[in-house]
Amino acid sequence: MKKILIASHNEGKIKEFRDILEPLGLEVVSAAELNVSDVEETGKTFEENAALKAEAMTRETGFACIADDSGLCVNALSGRPGVYSARYAPDRDFGKGMDMILEEIAATGSEDRSAYFMCVLALAVPGGEVYTFEGKVDGNISLEKRGDRGFGYDKIFVPKGYDLTFGELSKEEKNALSHRGRALQKFVEFMKTKNG
Ligand code: IMP
């Protein structure tokens, strides 16, 4: 495998993959560059969604393809928004989405603020094989939004062992312990063994 397609149109995500994969001798192309459209996330789990995106793009292009799916699971809300994290926020307004989560937890009357971020990366190779790599970070939902960094639900998530939210931590600190960082580390180890 020398060429790998990233199933994303998100410049930030593409750059993150490129920075990690090019030093391993892989040529990175993105769905945006090849003009391949996004695949609808119809699965019920992170793993299903990541795998269906990677497989569909491999079938369409003939290249090995890597796709990811991620989200925030809040225990007091029975794991929601989970795989629906991107769609939970109205018009992708994550400021509103975070307020909704804080309100929903308050409405349950539960003291339990535990939550986790989950990320599954799927690698599909031509011929049908799919490999998945999972990363998880446990933590708690803060009482209010804090910080001005990051994206999505970063400002209400305090990783276990820390007092600061992902929105208050530096990018380097977040990447070192995040769900995506952890899944990527597993994927990189796998690619190193595959490429010798
Ligand atoms: P995906 O692009 O379908 O994987 O959507 C994942 C959604 O989950 C994003 O739109 C974010 O709202 C949320 N999410 C995933 N990872 C993070 C993170 O590291 N910080 C904050 N929100 C995240």
Side-chain angles (χ1 to χ4, degrees):
M1 187 194 314
K2 281 279 163 262
K3 203 168 195 164
I4 191 158
L5 171 68
I6 312 298
S8 178
H9 291 79
N10 174 328
E11 281 308 319
K13 222 182 243 184
I14 296 164
K15 184 174 182 321
E16 193 176 298
F17 278 114
R18 187 163 270 147
D19 289 349
I20 289 168
L21 297 178
E22 285 184 348
L24 300 176
L26 291 161
E27 189 191 330
V28 173
V29 283
S30 71
E33 283 162 339
L34 290 190
N35 233 345
V36 185
S37 355
D38 264 335
V39 178
E40 214 192 323
E41 296 180 357
T42 51
K44 290 203 164 48
T45 63
F46 296 110
E47 192 169 349
E48 264 181 72
N49 278 336
L52 72 85
K53 282 192 275 187
E55 280 176 305
M57 289 211 186
T58 293
R59 266 198 309 273
E60 188 172 341
T61 64
F63 297 133
C65 177
I66 178 115
D68 74 336
D69 194 35
S70 56
L72 175 66
C73 306
V74 179
N75 291 322
L77 305 180
S78 312
R80 286 187 307 108
V83 288
Y84 302 105
S85 293
R87 285 162 276 177
Y88 174 82
D91 298 324
R92 291 196 161 244
D93 179 344
F94 291 99
K96 257 194 206 143
M98 286 186 279
D99 290 338
M100 285 162 57
I101 288 180
L102 296 176
E103 282 160 21
E104 277 209 63
I105 296 175
T108 64
S110 171
E111 301 267 295
D112 181 9
R113 305 195 72 82
S114 64
Y116 57 92
F117 269 119
M118 184 75 146
C119 174
V120 176
L121 291 180
L123 170 70
V125 295
E129 265 171 305
V130 182
Y131 305 88
T132 55
F133 310 88
E134 192 177 288
K136 184 182 177 210
V137 56
D138 286 308
N140 285 292
I141 300 298
S142 54
L143 292 170
E144 76 235 315
K145 291 182 271 188
R146 295 199 322 251
D148 51 16
R149 296 185 170 130
F151 70 100
Y153 301 95
D154 275 342
K155 291 177 189 157
I156 57 167
F157 184 80
V158 180
K160 203 170 172 180
Y162 289 74
D163 294 321
L164 300 177
T165 67
F166 268 172
E168 293 173 308
L169 291 171
S170 70
K171 190 171 130 197
E172 291 72 26
E173 284 170 313
K174 180 188 165 186
N175 287 345
L177 62 127
S178 82
H179 48 311
R180 193 168 299 98
R182 286 175 176 166
L184 262 168
Q185 278 163 20
K186 289 188 191 167
F187 169 65
V188 166
E189 285 313 310
F190 173 84
M191 291 308 283
K192 280 185 184 158
T193 55
K194 264 222 145 182
N195 282 346

